[in-house]
Amino acid sequence: MKNNSTLILLVGGLLAFAGPVSCGHAASKQKASYGTRVKYRPGEKIEFPDFTVEYVGERRKTVPVYPRGFLYYDFKVSKGKAEKMVSWTTGTGVIDPTNFEIDGKHYQLELRRSDKLGKLKDNELVIWQGNPPS
């Protein structure tokens, strides 16, 4: 009986330790580079060299002239204490990057289709560093 008790105690201790470690790993940040496909999902932070991006979710906004509405994908971009919401939409069907600025630098966020990388999966984004086109 003593061997079974020791084994149960050992396995229980391992499970108690492994639970918090694996949960902590799920909340970790994903590192990413500009100009690459990055998978996103709600609540997961993606760390770029100059800022962090977190997908907040999608929302539909209707307007009287277009009752079907527009579907927006919202991302929280933060650097230190600076934080802003960046929203991407196809609008009436034009798939363009969304330009944004943080800490005085310009960036572009692409969903669905990248001008340089082609079609993107539903859970992929690309962020480019640089000035928006004039």
Side-chain angles (χ1 to χ4, degrees):
M1 205 57 148
K2 183 177 179 186
N3 286 340
N4 285 343
S5 297
T6 304
L7 182 61
I8 290 171
L9 183 62
L10 179 62
V11 170
L14 285 172
L15 289 175
F17 176 74
V21 170
S22 64
C23 289
H25 178 69
S28 67
K29 291 182 182 177
Q30 178 185 167
K31 298 239 183 212
S33 300
Y34 300 118
T36 61
R37 296 168 188 259
V38 180
K39 292 187 181 196
Y40 67 89
R41 59 181 186 209
E44 181 179 77
K45 293 184 179 183
I46 305 166
E47 192 174 308
F48 282 87
D50 298 320
F51 54 82
T52 300
V53 173
E54 180 180 350
Y55 176 59
V56 178
E58 58 185 58
R59 63 186 162 86
R60 184 165 297 278
K61 185 174 180 180
T62 58
V63 291
V65 293
Y66 193 68
R68 183 172 154 203
F70 300 102
L71 184 61
Y72 288 88
Y73 296 83
D74 295 328
F75 296 85
K76 181 168 59 172
V77 179
S78 57
K79 178 175 182 164
K81 292 184 179 184
E83 189 175 285
K84 72 182 327 179
M85 290 299 289
V86 175
S87 298
W88 181 93
T89 185
T90 61
T92 57
V94 177
I95 300 178
D96 280 338
T98 294
N99 298 312
F100 67 96
E101 182 181 319
I102 190 156
D103 198 34
K105 296 180 182 176
H106 298 276
Y107 304 92
Q108 298 171 346
L109 181 142
E110 294 179 315
L111 294 183
R112 303 261 177 96
R113 182 168 184 0
S114 169
D115 290 342
K116 294 181 183 173
L117 303 178
K119 185 171 173 35
L120 301 173
K121 293 181 182 174
D122 287 343
N123 65 336
E124 288 182 330
L125 64 82
V126 178
I127 293 184
W128 299 94
Q129 185 179 24
N131 291 325
S134 33

